[in-house]
Amino acid sequence: SHRDERKLRSLLPYLATLEREEIIKTWIDKNIDEGDRWKDEIETALKEASIAILLISQDFLSSDFIRNQELPRILRRQLDGSLTVLPVFLSPSTVKTDSISFTDWDGKEKQISLSQFQGFGTPDETLEELKPTESARRFVKLNERIRELAAGGEAGAAPNQTASAGNVHAIP
C-alpha cells in the first residue's frame, strides 16, 4: 500500500545489493512515469516477475486494487509454480482471518489466507513490533532468500528476473 512507503524505503537498501550484482531487477509502482498507462505497467510487471514481495499491513489488505487486481494474478501464478510469494508481515493486521479469492487457470474459485505462506516476521510478531536490529535481520534473511531463489533454489525463480511485491510494488 502507498501508506507503507516508509517501510518500503527501509527494505529497498537490502534489495539494492542484489540489483547492483544484477541478480534481480526490482520493480515498484513508483517506476511508473507521468503519461504511462499505469494499469498496463503494473500488468507487465506482474507478468514478468518471478518473485513477489508482499508488504502486508492492514492498509495492504484493505486496498481494493491490491485485493481485486494484483493478488489474484499473483496467487494464480504462485499456484502454477511460476512465481514465489515472499510475505513480509509489517504490522498487526487481520491477515490470519482474511481470505483472498481468486480464480485458478481451470476457472475454479479458490480462497487462500496470506498467513499460510512462510514469511518474514509473522502475523503475531510483525516487523513493526520487533527491535530495529531484529527487523533489519529479517530484511537480511529476505535478501538471502531472494539470492537463493535467483540461483535456482526453487521453481519460479530465474536470475535477472524482476522481483516484485504486491502494492509495495517491490511489489511495493
Side-chain angles (χ1 to χ4, degrees):
S1 166
H2 290 281
R3 292 184 180 153
D4 295 318
E5 186 169 340
R6 182 181 61 78
K7 294 167 187 163
L8 168 63
R9 283 194 313 262
S10 66
L11 166 65
L12 290 177
Y14 296 91
L15 301 179
T17 58
L18 298 168
E19 277 196 295
R20 194 173 7 259
E21 295 174 38
E22 297 183 356
I23 293 171
I24 64 167
K25 179 182 174 201
T26 303
W27 188 91
I28 59 174
D29 63 3
K30 297 277 184 209
N31 296 355
I32 301 172
D33 293 321
E34 290 79 7
D36 287 348
R37 297 176 65 125
W38 64 272
K39 281 189 176 182
D40 293 345
E41 295 292 321
I42 292 171
E43 181 64 29
T44 298
L46 290 173
K47 283 180 185 174
E48 293 177 357
S50 61
I51 300 169
I53 302 169
L54 307 181
L55 300 183
I56 299 173
S57 67
Q58 195 60 39
D59 287 322
F60 174 92
L61 293 172
S62 65
S63 167
D64 286 336
F65 187 78
I66 291 170
R67 178 178 219 85
N68 298 323
Q69 300 296 317
E70 293 177 317
L71 283 175
R73 288 178 175 92
I74 289 167
L75 294 172
R76 191 174 309 116
R77 291 199 52 227
Q78 185 279 327
L79 190 65
D80 74 13
S82 64
L83 180 81
T84 300
V85 173
L86 300 176
V88 177
F89 298 100
L90 293 178
S91 58
S93 70
T94 58
V95 69
K96 285 172 53 174
T97 58
D98 200 354
S99 292
I100 308 299
S101 297
F102 69 101
T103 306
D104 69 13
W105 298 110
D106 295 327
K108 295 179 185 164
E109 189 72 19
K110 301 274 187 184
Q111 294 268 331
I112 193 163
S113 170
L114 297 176
S115 65
Q116 294 175 0
F117 292 95
Q118 182 65 36
F120 298 86
T122 68
D124 295 322
E125 189 180 54
T126 65
L127 269 59
E128 185 177 89
E129 298 169 291
L130 299 173
K131 292 179 183 178
T133 53
E134 280 306 310
S135 254
R137 288 184 202 287
R138 301 292 162 85
F139 285 152
V140 169
K141 287 192 177 292
L142 177 62
N143 171 295
E144 292 167 354
R145 180 66 176 132
I146 293 168
R147 186 178 297 277
E148 174 186 306
L149 290 167
E154 284 187 16
N160 299 318
Q161 290 284 313
T162 301
S164 182
N167 212 18
V168 172
H169 286 224
I171 291 181

